[in-house]
C-alpha cells in the first residue's frame, strides 16, 4: 500500500509548479559535514543536517503503519506506542522553580497542560539551556478549545496588577537562559491582556537585559494595536500558535479563533517588531489531518515570513477532550523537519514529545539570535 506521503506527492506536487520545485530540492544530495563542527550557528546547522534522515526517506514510507499508529476504540483501547512514554520530572532546579512558583502563586503552562517535558526543560537537559513557560493573566481562559486542559469561564477573575513585577522578579532569580511568557485568552479585557504582556516583558528585561524572552501570545482577536504593543515590548521571539492545519481549525479550536486571524497576527508581528525579532508558530499532529494538509499549511506559514515552526503529537488531556486520531511515528516527524528546513524555515523542531515551548528548540533559537546579533554588530 502506498503511504499517505506517496499519495501526497503524486496528487498535489504534479499540479503545482512550486511543489515540483520543492520535490526537486528534496531529491538533491545532502551536503557533506565535518567530523566535529564548531558550536556556532553554522555548526549547529551542519549537525542538524547530519542527524536528519536521508531526504529519500520522506517518500519512502511504504505503509500507513510507518506514518502513524492507531489509537484503538473505547471497547478495544490500544496502549500508547513506546515513543510516547513520559519521564517523571525531578532534579534540583525543578524543585527550586516549583517551590518559588507556589510561593508567588504563579502559574506555568508546563503544569497546567501537563507537559511531558516539564522536568527536562526546567533542569536544562543535555543542552544546558534551562527554560520554563510562565502563564500570566491568571489560570482561567475565556475560550474553550477542544484540545486544551486549562479552565474556562466567560468572566474569569481580574488580572493581578502585581503579576508582571512578581513574574519578573521570580524569573530573574532562577538563572534561566530562555523564558517563554504565555497566557490564557482574555476576551473580557479591553486590551485582550496585551498591556500585561508588555509590562511583564519590559520589567524582566530591566532586571535581566541579556535573558532571551519569547512571548507566546493569544490572537488578541486580530487587533493590530494589541499585536504592535507586544511586538515592540523588547521581546526576542514573538510566537503565536495556529494549533492545527487550516482545514481543522473549526473542529479543534474555539469558534473565535481561525486560521486567517492567526496568520494575520504572525504577519503583523513580523512587520511591527524590530529587525532581528523571530516569529514562531506550532501545530499538533494526530488530530485527523492529512500529510497533504500539513504541507499546504507549512507553505502558507512560511509565506507569512515565520522563522520557526514546531510539530508535536496531540495528547488528549482527559476523556472530556477531543480524542487522538492517530499517533504519528518519530520517522514521520523527522520527515516533516527535513521538509520544513527545505522550505526555508530557520529552524524546525519536530517530534512526538515536542511542544510549542520546548527546550531543544529554544537551544537552537538562542544560538540563532546570538549569531544574528554578533553579525549585526560586526
Amino acid at each position: 500500500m502506498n503511504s499517505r506521503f506517496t499519495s501526497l506527492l503524486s496528487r498535489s506536487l504534479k499540479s503545482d509548479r512550486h511543489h515540483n520545485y520543492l520535490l526537486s530540492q528534496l531529491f538533491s544530495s545532502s551536503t557533506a559535514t565535518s567530523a566535529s563542527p564548531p558550536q556556532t550557528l553554522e555548526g549547529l546547522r551542519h549537525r542538524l543536517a547530519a542527524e536528519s534522515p536521508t531526504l529519500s526517506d520522506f517518500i519512502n514510507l511504504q505503509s500507513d503503519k510507518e506514518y502513524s499508529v492507531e489509537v484503538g476504540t473505547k471497547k478495544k483501547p490500544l496502549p500508547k506506542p513506546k515513543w510516547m512514554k513520559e519521564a517523571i520530572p525531578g532534579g534540583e532546579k525543578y524543585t527550586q522553580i516549583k517551590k518559588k512558583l507556589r510561593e508567588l502563586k504563579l502559574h506555568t503552562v508546563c503544569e497546567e497542560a501537563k507537559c511531558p517535558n516539564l522536568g527536562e526543560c526546567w533542569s536544562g537537559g543535555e543542552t544546558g539551556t534551562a527554560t520554563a513557560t510562565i502563564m500570566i493573566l491568571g489560570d482561567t481562559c475565556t475560550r474553550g478549545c477542544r484540545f486544551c486542559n486549562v479552565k474556562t469561564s466567560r468572566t474569569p477573575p481580574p488580572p493581578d496588577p502585581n503579576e508582571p513585577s512578581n513574574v519578573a522578579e521570580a524569573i530573574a532569580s532562577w538563572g534561566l537562559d530562555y523564558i517563554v511568557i504565555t497566557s490564557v485568552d482574555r476576551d473580557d479585557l479591553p486590551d485582550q491582556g496585551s498591556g500585561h504582556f508588555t509590562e511583564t516583558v519590559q520589567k524582566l528585561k530591566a532586571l535581566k537585559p541579556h535573558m532571551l524572552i519569547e512571548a507566546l501570545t493569544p490572537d488578541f482577536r486580530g487587533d493590530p494595536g494589541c499585536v504592535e504593543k507586544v511586538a515592540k515590548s523588547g521581546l526576542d521571539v514573538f510566537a503565536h500558535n495556529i494549533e492545527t492545519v487550516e482545514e481543522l481549525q473549526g473542529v479543534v479550536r474555539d469558534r473565535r479563533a481561525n486560521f486567517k486571524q492567526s496568520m494575520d497576527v504572525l504577519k503583523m508581528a513580523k512587520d511591527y517588531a524590530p529587525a532581528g525579532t523571530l516569529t514562531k508558530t506550532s501545530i499538533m499532529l494526530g488530530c485527523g489531518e492529512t500529510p497533504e494538509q500539513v504541507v499546504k499549511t507549512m507553505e502558507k506559514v512560511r509565506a507569512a515570513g515565520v522563522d520557526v515552526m514546531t510539530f508535536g503529537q496531540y495528547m488528549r488531556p482527559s476523556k472530556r477532550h477531543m480524542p487522538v486520531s492517530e499517533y504519528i511515528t518519530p520517522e514521520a516527524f523527522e520527515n516533516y523537519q527535513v521538509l520544513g528546513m527545505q522550505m526555508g524555515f530557520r529552524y524546525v523542531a519536530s517530534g512526538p514529545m515536542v511542544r510549542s515551548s520546548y527546550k531543544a528548540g529554544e537551544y537552537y533559537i538562542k544560538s540563532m539570535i546570538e549569531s544574528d546579533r554578533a553579525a549585526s554588530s560586526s
Side-chain angles (χ1 to χ4, degrees):
M1 178 188 293
N2 288 333
S3 69
R4 282 193 280 176
F5 276 116
T6 305
S7 175
L8 159 65
L9 290 170
S10 64
R11 286 198 311 271
S12 66
L13 298 189
K14 289 180 180 178
S15 61
D16 189 292
R17 188 172 299 172
H18 174 68
H19 281 292
N20 281 326
Y21 171 76
L22 182 59
L23 178 59
S24 69
Q25 293 301 300
L26 284 172
F27 279 113
S28 63
S29 60
S30 302
T31 56
T33 59
S34 58
S36 300
Q39 287 304 303
T40 61
L41 177 60
E42 191 60 30
L44 292 173
R45 285 174 175 162
H46 279 299
R47 176 182 163 189
L48 176 64
E51 294 177 355
S52 295
T54 60
L55 298 180
S56 61
D57 287 343
F58 186 77
I59 59 167
N60 201 34
L61 297 175
Q62 294 300 307
S63 69
D64 284 344
K65 187 175 180 181
E66 292 186 26
Y67 177 79
S68 64
V69 173
E70 294 181 4
V71 298
T73 64
K74 288 183 179 180
K75 292 183 179 180
K76 294 182 179 180
L78 296 175
K80 292 181 184 177
K82 59 184 179 181
W83 60 80
M84 293 304 301
K85 302 300 181 184
E86 300 174 9
I88 299 174
E92 183 179 346
K93 185 165 284 189
Y94 165 83
T95 304
Q96 172 195 351
I97 291 176
K98 187 166 185 176
K99 181 180 178 182
K100 194 70 174 179
L101 286 167
R102 299 293 83 81
E103 289 175 358
L104 295 174
K105 298 181 179 179
L106 299 178
H107 307 280
T108 68
V109 74
C110 317
E111 294 173 293
E112 296 289 337
K114 300 179 181 179
C115 180
N117 306 306
L118 188 153
E120 184 184 11
C121 289
W122 287 12
S123 66
E126 63 179 13
T127 67
T129 301
T131 67
T133 303
I134 298 295
M135 190 165 69
I136 61 174
L137 293 164
D139 63 349
T140 305
C141 187
T142 53
R143 299 188 186 180
C145 296
R146 294 189 63 207
F147 64 88
C148 185
N149 196 49
V150 176
K151 293 182 291 186
T152 63
S153 171
R154 291 183 179 180
T155 56
D160 178 2
N162 297 318
E163 188 176 51
S165 296
N166 287 342
V167 167
E169 290 172 9
I171 295 172
S173 69
W174 290 340
L176 298 173
D177 305 291
Y178 191 113
I179 186 72
V180 182
I181 299 171
T182 190
S183 80
V184 291
D185 284 281
R186 292 301 302 258
D187 300 285
D188 59 312
L189 301 177
D191 71 346
Q192 313 290 307
S194 58
H196 221 64
F197 259 104
T198 301
E199 186 180 355
T200 302
V201 172
Q202 291 173 342
K203 286 183 178 294
L204 182 53
K205 279 291 186 179
L207 293 173
K208 288 284 186 177
H210 299 296
M211 178 179 283
L212 299 181
I213 302 176
E214 174 182 325
L216 176 55
T217 76
D219 60 25
F220 300 127
R221 289 193 172 184
D223 187 321
C226 295
V227 177
E228 181 178 11
K229 189 186 303 181
V230 177
K232 293 181 177 178
S233 65
L235 51 75
D236 301 284
V237 180
F238 187 108
H240 171 65
N241 291 342
I242 58 173
E243 307 294 4
T244 187
V245 297
E246 183 175 6
E247 291 82 354
L248 294 182
Q249 294 282 315
V251 176
V252 174
R253 304 175 76 188
D254 185 276
R255 59 181 176 78
R256 286 162 286 188
N258 61 75
F259 187 76
K260 182 182 183 303
Q261 185 165 271
S262 288
M263 293 300 294
D264 287 345
V265 167
L266 290 165
K267 291 175 184 176
M268 286 188 287
K270 178 63 76 174
D271 291 338
Y272 289 134
T277 305
L278 300 179
T279 51
K280 175 183 172 186
T281 196
S282 176
I283 67 172
M284 303 171 291
L285 300 182
C287 299
E289 72 290 330
T290 67
E292 181 176 16
Q293 291 169 345
V294 175
V295 173
K296 287 181 178 178
T297 299
M298 291 170 69
E299 289 179 328
K300 291 183 179 181
V301 169
R302 185 68 199 102
V306 175
D307 302 290
V308 178
M309 192 168 188
T310 70
F311 299 84
Q313 171 69 51
Y314 166 63
M315 295 298 294
R316 190 181 195 181
S318 76
K319 292 181 179 179
R320 297 182 294 105
H321 293 83
M322 178 181 71
V324 177
S325 176
E326 59 188 341
Y327 291 112
I328 309 303
T329 65
E331 292 76 16
F333 273 107
E334 288 175 353
N335 289 326
Y336 281 127
Q337 182 183 46
V338 170
L339 179 59
M341 296 303 290
Q342 289 289 330
M343 284 182 174
F345 287 101
R346 295 195 64 190
Y347 179 69
V348 179
S350 182
M353 304 297 272
V354 168
R355 296 298 178 262
S356 58
S357 304
Y358 182 58
K359 163 200 62 64
E362 285 146 16
Y363 171 63
Y364 282 94
I365 293 171
K366 179 172 178 281
S367 300
M368 283 194 292
I369 294 172
E370 291 173 347
S371 176
D372 289 348
R373 289 177 179 171
S376 64
S377 61
S378 60

